[in-house]
Amino acid sequence: KDFILSINRYLLPPAAVALESFLERSSTIELQDAVELIRPLSLGKAEDGEFTIFEASPADVSQHGLLTQPHKISTLERAQMRKARNQRLLPGDVILSVKGTIGTAGLVPSGAPTSDEDGFWTAGQSFMILRPKRGGVSGVVLYEYLANPTVVKALRTLAGGSAIQSIAIKDLKAFRVPIPSEEEAERAELTFKRRQERHAQIEAIMAEIEAERTSSWPGRELNLEKL
């Protein structure tokens, strides 16, 4: 593989075999035909920039798959904003880490800010932005596929590099994506929505539990905010 002798060249991992078998039974297209691939560039920063943006890293993808507000904040000058806008994240985009931590996928939520004034979100250079094309698979369907554990393991077999692992753009473009039936796509969308609702309920319960713990002994007496 890229002139590097690898056992994967002669023995396919079980995940790759399982995925290949699944794809052989499905109608498929290459990823480049399903999405617009946008590679984030280094934006630099300005200490006194007038615009603020939030740059996502793999740690900003929640356990339930939605991208949360990125922790990294950068300020940019007006001249830098043109390049930044080209890699602005839009609701429904899928981000996929293709460098370093391979295979982390996240879906940009509907409430993500998109205007310059609100401070839009962008993606760090470890990600590739996958923007679904009109009339094709939706962001939710694409996320459900790419976030599947078997698919993640298969993606990792594409990575190369001795120091920092990365997936070559040509391999990513050719990665096959199944096209579900209309019924399967609708079921995937509904399942994803229900899962998010359950995650929200779990988070609310956990917040109540933590509030009860900190309001009783010794949490009440050792609450730093009140000391």
Side-chain angles (χ1 to χ4, degrees):
K1 182 178 181 181
D2 295 331
F3 302 101
I4 298 175
L5 186 62
S6 169
I7 192 171
N8 289 341
R9 181 171 180 172
Y10 304 98
L11 182 62
L12 288 175
V17 174
L19 180 59
E20 185 65 26
S21 176
F22 169 71
L23 293 174
E24 287 299 322
R25 303 190 304 271
S26 308
S27 174
T28 67
I29 57 175
E30 292 187 345
L31 184 62
Q32 63 182 342
D33 296 323
V35 302
E36 176 188 359
L37 290 94
I38 303 169
R39 172 170 291 198
L41 304 174
S42 176
L43 298 173
K45 61 180 180 179
E47 296 297 333
D48 300 322
E50 57 182 307
F51 296 99
T52 299
I53 64 168
F54 300 84
E55 184 179 313
S57 70
D60 295 314
V61 177
S62 66
Q63 292 184 343
H64 45 280
L66 291 177
L67 178 64
T68 59
Q69 178 169 300
H71 287 85
K72 184 177 179 181
I73 301 174
S74 299
T75 55
L76 303 180
E77 295 176 346
R78 186 172 297 275
Q80 298 170 294
M81 285 296 287
R82 182 174 183 178
K83 183 165 63 172
R85 292 189 191 101
N86 291 335
Q87 55 198 61
R88 174 187 357 223
L89 292 175
L90 302 178
D93 284 352
V94 175
I95 52 175
L96 178 69
S97 60
V98 295
K99 184 178 180 180
T101 304
I102 303 295
T104 298
L107 180 69
V108 180
S110 58
T114 58
S115 69
D116 294 353
E117 293 73 19
D118 294 333
F120 60 77
W121 298 357
T122 185
Q125 290 180 274
S126 64
F127 282 119
M128 184 68 74
I129 302 170
L130 311 178
R131 182 160 295 157
K133 295 181 178 179
R134 290 185 178 182
V137 294
S138 69
V140 170
V141 170
L142 181 62
Y143 166 78
E144 291 286 77
Y145 173 64
L146 294 176
N148 180 275
T150 298
V151 178
V152 172
K153 290 178 181 178
L155 275 168
R156 288 174 178 167
T157 66
L158 300 178
S162 56
I164 300 177
Q165 294 276 293
S166 63
I167 299 178
I169 184 66
K170 61 180 178 62
D171 292 331
L172 188 63
K173 286 181 176 180
F175 194 70
R176 292 164 66 194
V177 176
I179 306 300
S181 67
E182 185 175 339
E183 180 182 350
E184 290 171 329
E186 289 179 356
R187 188 161 58 246
E189 297 261 2
L190 181 59
T191 300
F192 180 83
K193 180 181 179 181
R194 288 177 176 172
R195 201 164 68 241
Q196 300 311 311
E197 291 172 349
R198 289 179 179 176
H199 280 300
Q201 292 170 357
I202 291 171
E203 290 172 358
I205 293 172
M206 293 303 295
E208 291 176 2
I209 292 173
E210 182 62 18
E212 291 175 359
R213 186 176 72 86
T214 55
S215 63
S216 64
W217 187 92
R220 182 177 60 250
E221 287 74 9
L222 296 176
N223 189 337
L224 294 179
E225 294 180 358
K226 295 182 179 180
L227 295 179

